[in-house]
Amino acid sequence: HAPPRIAVRARMTDATWVAFAVGRTYQYAQNVTPVGLGNDVVAMSNLFWVLSGDSVPALRSTIGTIGLEHWLNRNVLFSATLYDRSVRGMIVPEPGPQWLMDRPLFTVASNRAHGADFTLRKLGGNVTTAVSSSYGDSEIRVGDVGYPSPWSRRHSFDATTTISAS
């Protein structure tokens, strides 16, 4: 499949830009993390990779974003982004309560994620700073069962300062 995409960025005023984008991607290889104790996704290397075919669907992601950039003054930029993403054909470990040996290696799921990010940046000069706050919700669905995605980060706050020594 060809991944269709479109993005439009428009200048509203001398200081304000708005952007809209929508796209779809396809992925033909996915990994499955085995379930059980000691399988921390961060420190684990024993993933199983599967290719799409008769029993594994191709993963299809559709995402839409709306963004805004506004220069508050010559050096300070405010930006905001809203997004919504839908994923079909995702493979995940079987979420049922069965004994591990009696479960299939994976099951097909869907994922829905949406969120917003707000950032204030001071750019230029010997000191640069960025402060960001974001909200994101991501849910995986297997049939009628929904549960939070392990990658979901509901609330996040970041602050960074860089000082030039020159």
Side-chain angles (χ1 to χ4, degrees), residues 25-163:
T25 60
Y26 296 91
Q27 183 175 320
Y28 299 98
Q30 298 183 59
N31 65 39
V32 179
T33 305
V35 296
L37 297 174
N39 288 322
D40 184 357
V41 176
V42 174
M44 196 181 108
S45 63
N46 58 341
L47 300 173
F48 294 104
W49 285 90
V50 294
L51 297 174
S52 60
D54 294 341
S55 62
V56 179
L59 182 140
R60 184 186 78 195
S61 294
T62 306
I63 187 165
T65 62
I66 299 172
L68 170 80
E69 290 182 346
H70 178 74
W71 287 94
L72 299 174
N73 64 36
R74 204 179 101 146
N75 292 322
V76 180
L77 175 66
F78 169 78
S79 63
T81 304
L82 303 174
Y83 73 91
D84 187 70
R85 183 185 71 228
S86 174
V87 177
R88 301 281 182 253
M90 175 183 209
I91 58 173
V92 296
E94 172 65 42
Q98 311 93 307
W99 176 250
L100 290 175
M101 299 305 287
D102 296 333
R103 293 183 192 194
L105 178 60
F106 61 84
T107 189
V108 179
S110 63
N111 174 248
R112 184 70 184 263
H114 61 275
D117 177 74
F118 304 94
T119 303
L120 191 61
R121 297 182 192 107
K122 185 224 173 252
L123 304 167
N126 289 336
V127 178
T128 60
T129 303
V131 177
S132 175
S133 177
S134 63
Y135 167 82
D137 190 25
S138 179
E139 181 185 68
I140 293 176
R141 283 212 157 269
V142 177
D144 294 333
V145 177
Y147 55 93
S149 165
W151 309 282
S152 185
R153 300 293 177 264
R154 289 238 170 174
H155 299 281
S156 177
F157 179 81
D158 298 297
T160 303
T161 297
T162 304
I163 301 170

